[in-house]
């Protein structure tokens, strides 16, 4: 592997790490402190619901980011868009760390929080899709799954960083954590911004888009064409996102709140479990991605969805024991096996579903529509179901099973793509 390809893979991983570090420190803060700091006039349960609602607001902005930046990525290239989205996500996160709380600014505090969350979401709407496409379009034949796994690995690294930083500062005395400790993880995003910008500014454009540009064949209205020419692929991506994205947020965000608020477990215990689960996922993502290169994207993806459906009830049974080893094992199985088997091959699968001229628009927009239906509302819906069930988690388990079964159905109805090419000519001319 030459230096330029290594640089591309690093650019893909670092940008994804920043995006998901940013999103998960927000989710962790929403679970632990935002209800108290930004919605203090509510009772604790309602404050948590409101904090999770602001978490979901970021997902409302993501399809608009996918729409705008997907269009630009298919028109002007993958590289410049990836630099812009990196800066938007990073700036929104850094500024959250400087926000006044409700005690200082009153209603302006939650208003500004929502505004910056929208900035985060707008930039993130095309960040991951672009990172995946950058890696996949540089990949040699037969290794697109493995190369594409670099972006989800970056996501896992970002989540590990978010959990590690929060675990460190959550160990502070509560008064210090509420006064200033929660801000530091947001301010530290500046480091990832600078590293990511340096790496992405030095990568080359993908050979696939370079050929499109050289032949002056960029689509005039890629978003419209992607929806019109790929309706089946659009539906598959939206459905495939339900479990991967929904459970991908329920395990680290809702489960953190459930275990600390309902089971009264120490925050550090749960954060350590999350870190362990995502540490194992660093191994399972490339494994499942490699496996999808050998046996196909659909069998691996459906296997992860069906496992997640079967594991929903056992997950809560294991967590409710309050036994640290069983809690950690439950998180490992849910995150590293169930979600990992979907998240690993997803990168190459989604990229292969769309033709080269429409890939960025189709990938980014369809993926983020799935985010609105899954990851954004998932912690809020789960918290509401828990409140409705008076603290019993079985309705939440049913919700998790529904997401997983819908995803398995969507992938079952979709095409296999492992043998498709990513070049324009190999993508049926569009």
């Amino acid at each position: 592997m030459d230096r330029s390809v290594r640089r591309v893979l690093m650019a893909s991983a670092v940008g994804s790490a920043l995006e998901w570090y940013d999103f998960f420190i927000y989710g962790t803060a929403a679970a632990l402190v935002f209800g108290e700091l930004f919605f203090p006039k509510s009772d604790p349960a309602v404050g948590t619901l409101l904090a999770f609602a602001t978490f979901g607001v970021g997902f409302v902005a993501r399809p608009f980011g996918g729409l705008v930046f997907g269009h630009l990525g298919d028109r002007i290239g993958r590289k410049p868009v990836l630099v812009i989205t990196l800066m938007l996500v990073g700036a929104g996160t850094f500024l959250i760390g400087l926000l006044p709380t409700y005690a200082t600014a009153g209603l302006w505090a939650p208003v500004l929080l929502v505004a910056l969350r929208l900035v985060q979401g707008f930039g993130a709407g095309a960040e991951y899709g672009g990172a995946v496409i950058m890696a996949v379009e540089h990949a040699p034949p037969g290794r697109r799954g493995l190369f594409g796994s670099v972006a989800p690995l970056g996501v896992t690294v970002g989540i590990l960083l978010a959990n590690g930083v929060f675990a460190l500062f959550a160990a502070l005395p509560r008064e210090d954590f509420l006064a200033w400790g929660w801000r530091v993880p947001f301010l530290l995003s500046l480091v990832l911004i600078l590293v990511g910008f340096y790496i992405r500014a030095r990568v080359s454009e993908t050979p696939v888009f370079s050929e499109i540009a050289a032949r002056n064949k960029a689509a005039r209205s890629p978003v419209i064409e992607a929806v019109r020419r790929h309706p089946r692929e659009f539906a598959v991506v939206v459905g495939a996102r339900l479990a991967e994205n929904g459970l991908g947020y329920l395990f680290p965000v809702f489960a953190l709140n459930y275990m600390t608020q309902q089971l009264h477990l120490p925050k550090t215990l749960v954060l350590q479990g999350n870190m362990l689960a995502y540490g194992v996922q660093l191994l399972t993502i490339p494994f499942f991605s490699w496996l999808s290169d050998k046996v196909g994207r659909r069998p691996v993806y459906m296997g992860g969805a069906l496992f997640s459906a079967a594991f929903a009830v056992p997950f809560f049974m294991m967590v409710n024991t309050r036994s640290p080893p069983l809690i950690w094992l439950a998180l490992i199985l849910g995150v590293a096996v169930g979600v990992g088997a979907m998240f690993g091959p997803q990168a190459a699968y989604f990229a292969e579903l769309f033709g080269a001229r429409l890939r960025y628009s189709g990938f980014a927009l369809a993926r983020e529509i799935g985010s609105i239906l899954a990851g954004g509302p998932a912690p809020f819906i789960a918290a509401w179901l828990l409140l409705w069930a008076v603290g019993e988690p079985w309705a939440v388990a049913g919700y998790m099973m529904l997401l997983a079964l819908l995803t398995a159905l969507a992938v079952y109805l979709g095409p296999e793509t492992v043998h498709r090419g990513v070049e324009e000519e190999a993508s049926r001319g569009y």
Side-chain angles (χ1 to χ4, degrees), residues 235-247 297-298 300-309 338-339 341-343 346 349-350 370 373-374 399-414:
V236 169
V237 171
V238 171
R241 284 284 279 163
L242 294 177
E244 173 272 317
N245 193 233
L247 301 183
R297 316 297 182 210
R298 292 168 70 245
V300 179
Y301 208 126
M302 285 189 290
L306 293 173
F307 174 85
S308 297
V339 175
M342 294 182 282
F343 199 33
Q346 181 195 92
Y349 187 43
F350 286 5
L373 299 175
Y399 173 54
M400 294 166 66
M401 292 175 65
L402 176 64
L403 292 176
L405 292 174
L406 288 173
T407 284
L409 178 63
V411 177
Y412 174 76
L413 296 175

Side-chain angles (χ1 to χ4, degrees), residues 288-300 416 418-419:
F288 287 124
S289 302
W290 168 84
L291 186 63
S292 77
D293 281 333
K294 304 301 180 183
V295 304
R297 316 297 182 210
R298 292 168 70 245
V300 179
E416 180 56 73
V418 69
H419 297 299

Side-chain angles (χ1 to χ4, degrees), residues 18-20 22-23 84-94 119-125 127 193:
L18 171 64
E19 176 194 351
W20 295 88
D22 292 351
F23 260 64
I84 296 170
T85 56
L86 178 83
M87 301 308 291
L88 276 175
V89 175
T93 304
F94 179 78
V119 171
Q120 266 192 329
F122 188 69
E127 164 61 37
I193 298 171

Side-chain angles (χ1 to χ4, degrees), residues 105-383:
L107 288 175
W108 279 108
V111 168
L112 291 171
L113 180 67
V114 170
L116 290 176
R117 181 64 173 162
L118 287 170
V119 171
Q120 266 192 329
F122 188 69
E127 164 61 37
Y128 180 78
V132 166
I133 291 168
M134 179 70 74
V136 169
E137 290 188 347
H138 276 92
R143 300 183 69 189
R144 289 196 300 267
L146 188 59
F147 270 54
S149 71
V150 172
L153 279 175
V155 171
T156 304
V157 170
I159 295 169
L160 279 170
L161 288 173
N163 277 280
V165 171
F166 254 100
L168 178 64
F169 286 94
L172 289 169
R174 182 164 179 78
E175 295 77 15
D176 292 337
F177 183 61
L178 291 174
W180 58 269
W182 69 270
R183 298 180 182 275
V184 180
F186 290 90
L187 299 177
L188 287 176
S189 66
L190 182 63
V191 176
L192 284 174
I193 298 171
L194 296 176
V195 172
F197 179 81
Y198 174 75
I199 294 175
R200 284 193 170 176
R202 300 174 69 224
V203 301
S204 58
E205 184 56 83
T206 74
V208 173
F209 185 81
S210 296
E211 181 182 354
I212 292 171
R215 296 167 59 190
N216 196 28
K217 295 192 68 176
R220 290 187 177 183
S221 303
V223 173
I224 296 173
E225 290 185 47
V227 175
R228 180 168 58 87
R229 297 192 182 195
H230 293 280
R232 180 189 183 192
E233 286 80 357
F234 245 79
V236 169
V237 171
V238 171
R241 284 284 279 163
L242 294 177
E244 173 272 317
N245 193 233
L247 301 183
Y249 280 104
L250 283 175
F251 285 121
V253 177
F254 168 76
L256 172 62
N257 179 262
Y258 172 74
M259 286 187 260
T260 57
Q261 299 298 319
Q262 294 292 322
L263 303 182
H264 305 292
L265 295 169
K267 292 190 292 289
T268 52
L269 170 70
V270 185
L271 290 170
Q272 288 165 2
N274 275 336
M275 291 182 66
L276 182 61
Y278 285 108
V280 176
Q281 197 185 62
L282 287 174
L283 303 176
T284 60
I285 281 179
F287 169 74
F288 287 124
S289 302
W290 168 84
L291 186 63
S292 77
D293 281 333
K294 304 301 180 183
V295 304
R297 316 297 182 210
R298 292 168 70 245
V300 179
Y301 208 126
M302 285 189 290
L306 293 173
F307 174 85
S308 297
F311 186 61
V313 171
F315 172 78
F316 284 106
M317 293 175 66
M318 295 170 72
V319 164
N320 283 354
T321 65
R322 293 179 169 83
S323 166
L326 285 177
I327 290 171
W328 292 343
L329 178 61
L331 288 168
I332 289 171
L333 291 173
V335 170
V337 178
V339 175
M342 294 182 282
F343 199 33
Q346 181 195 92
Y349 187 43
F350 286 5
E352 291 162 349
L353 282 170
F354 298 94
R357 294 171 63 239
L358 314 173
R359 180 167 293 129
Y360 209 141
S361 297
F363 189 131
L365 182 57
R367 184 176 184 272
E368 298 313 330
I369 290 174
S371 296
I372 283 186
L373 299 175
F380 178 87
I381 292 172

